[in-house]
Amino acid sequence: MQKYGLTTAQAAEARRKYGSNALSAPPRATFWDKLWENFQDPMIKILLLALLVNAAFAYLGHGDWLETAGIFMAIILATFVSTWSEYSNENAFQKLQEEAARIRCRVWRDGEPQEIAIDDLVAGDAVILQAGDKVPVDGVLLEGSVKLDQAALNGESEEAAKSAAPQGFVWEAGGTDFLDEHRLYRGSVVVEGAGVMQAVKVGDASVYGQLTRELQDDERDSPLKLKLKGLAQQISKFSYAGGVLIAAAVMLHKMLLAGGFAAYTANMTQVAGDLLQAVILGIIIIVMAVPEGLPLMIAIVSSLNMRKMLNDNVLVRKLVGIETAGSLNLLFTDKTGTITKGKLEVVRFLTGDVQEYAGFGELPEKIKELTYQQVVLNTSASVTADSIVGGNMTEAALNKYLADYRMERTPERIRFAPFNSASKYSWAQVKGSGGSYCLVKGAPEKLLLRTAYYWAEDGSRQPFTAALQRRLEQRMLELAGQAIRMLALCSSEGTPEDDVPQEGLTLVGVVAIRDDVRPEAVEAIAAVQEAGVQVVMITGDRKETAVAIARDAGLLRRPEEIVWSSAELAALSDEEVKLLLPRLRVVARALPMDKSRLVRLSQELNLVVGMTGDGVNDSPALKKADVGFAMGSGTEVAKEAGDIVILDDNFLSIKKAILYGRTIYNSICKFIVFQLTINLSAVAISFIAPFIGIDKPLTITQILWINLVMDTLAALAFGGEPALAEYLEERPKRRSAPLVSREMLASIAMGGAYMTLVAIAFFKSAWVDHLFRDVADHIYTYTGFFCTYIFMAVANGFNVRTKDLQLLRNLELNKGFLQVMALIVAIQVLLTYVGGSILRTAPLNAHEWLVVIFFGASIIAADLLRKLLVKRCRVISPFI
């Protein structure tokens, strides 16, 4: 072989001048960068403000350091849990990416072949390529011929033939032409042939490298983040208004008790003291109204679900990915390896008399032997006694079809002519015990014209009549409509001279090959569509193949659904695409810019968009989408661009990601209803009390205790909610929809109102008061209400965790919920014995505990009645 390449000194000079082949790593966020980013969360900002105010009052002697510590711990836990979860998953992802840097390449250096790391290649290097190698640089083929799989770059499943460039060939500056027969691009895979290429563009200058630099675009806020911002603003307004009104109500109550404004202001010292207490109460109410456990709960539920997803072959790189997956409206998905198996398989074998066989073992003996010989002798693959290595995807499918079958004596191959695009067949001359004969394998449209006989089931040669040929061609046409490729196998007696005979061939059979649809993908696509997510398949395949696969996958069901080719898409204006987008199901012959355009237009329609991909060409669209699903077998660039890596390349895993995303969303909503019900009732009780003659229904310390225990411990309880299949039956939430829905608002309003009415009953009803021991300071009634309030909150936790009337449904899947709620009750009972004057409590007797349990559990009956009414109204009108 002629020697090419550089000397060591020339390589060093090229590295100095053009750089190495190492790709610039995208900026990595450190743990502290991610932590700082999490501190920008709107809910965390509100908590930080509450922390500063609380700390200031505690320092002045008018606040509680316990509450200050509680808020501080809520902030630290929430930010650290979410940061650590994302950071640790990012490290796991980096370990996957490091595998790419270990690739070794063979080059000519100093006149001899050497093996070096892919990053050490430089411009001018002569790289030795063989079947199975990944092209490491952009360059020109100097010697040999190869077939490349360029799907990672252009999405085309068809292999591209490359031949040696003529003397004087110049790589033109600018432009990218994947169809050029002499240029090779980094990221392609050699599926057949061997050769030597000269490195022209390395590292970031390659097409592969250029695409990595396009991944620095700003990211859109996730739907959940937008909703949390809106909720934070609403809570801020409510809490500030509530704090001011309650402080004003307390001062007005004091004034009325004093006999009017003049009498009250006569003692300004008393006024100053009352004002200070009112302001403190108002600040506490503001803090109380903020659900400080929400960020912690989001961090916990995201972290728990990230671990579950990893067990299901889904690696979440960014928390925003799993949150957004649950809100998807539209999913653009690749075909190969995601919807289909990504590997060609022999699905049928047709004989000359149009008999069909499924498995190789079912074939008649003579046909079986000749088919085996075609696979192991008429091939460019390397065949050993134990295995068959190399060859293209079609030959790999034939090899798999043979399974473990082996002939006792395989004929000897004398000559072999590989497949070429002109003749569209390959042939091999072999010598067996009965003499010399020829094996031919290729395109049916070429070989059937030369066929005069076929091998029958009994091993005899029979005439291949025109009627049989028409029947066979008709059946092949039907199979072609199912995206099935055909390969004809023929034999010929005698010894060919330069080519196989133009007539007189004997048909062994026609092999039907297809990249079949994954059975689980059909089920998963149906589930995702039922979840309200529009699925659009984008593929580089031709339109007819794409349509056949889409039909089998369940993407095309109705006549009004649209299939576009890239050319048809390009001919439409943006407004026309937006108008027709809801009916779109397939885009064939797609280009990278088609994917980016579709993502952009979908987002302009305010849709939450997902994109799957595995190639470098997919990276810009993966980055631009609201959530990018990168395939685990895909390129490193695609994985860098994605938010979630599907390790098993399976659409079923995408369904699971959507389910887990919706689980997080539903868990957050449950916690919000639980927490805001408590917050609303606490604010309402504190506001109404002064006007109906109740002095301190809840003391400041009690309010702080309720806030601390219900925020923090309840976050743990709801963080473990299971992923339920019923979540996939819900409709996706609009990006602009508020986090608190009308149904949630109704539950919060009802629960808050009921807890407020119970509070009024405790302090204004003589009947309730008489249920407790009668003492001058009514300490047992006050203790009873404090415990009842906690018990009502706990009971309401069972109400909000399910929309059903069966409150214990799926409770066995979240045992932590029962444990946390039991802990809250146990602590509350203990506090009645040790709280004393600090918490204004006294030990209750058995009768009083029964009263507390009755009133605490009564909120369950109230909410069940609400659910029954809602259910009845929906039966009458589904739009309610």
Side-chain angles (χ1 to χ4, degrees), residues 18 32 49 117 184 249 385 407 409 492 565 703 727 746 796 798 837:
Y18 301 108
W32 303 109
L49 179 61
L184 289 73
M407 286 182 65
R409 294 186 88 179
S492 174
S565 66
I703 290 175
Y727 294 153
N796 198 46
F798 289 85
S837 60

Side-chain angles (χ1 to χ4, degrees), residues 335-381:
K335 173 186 73 71
T336 305
T338 308
I339 293 176
T340 64
K341 295 177 181 178
K343 296 178 181 178
L344 295 178
E345 292 183 343
V346 176
V347 293
R348 280 181 180 75
F349 190 101
L350 282 68
T351 58
D353 54 354
V354 202
Q355 299 297 311
E356 295 189 26
Y357 300 89
F360 179 77
E362 300 174 14
L363 298 180
E365 195 59 36
K366 178 67 175 180
I367 295 176
K368 183 186 295 184
E369 290 180 0
L370 288 171
T371 300
Y372 173 80
Q373 293 174 31
Q374 289 275 10
V375 175
V376 301
L377 298 175
N378 186 10
T379 179
S380 58

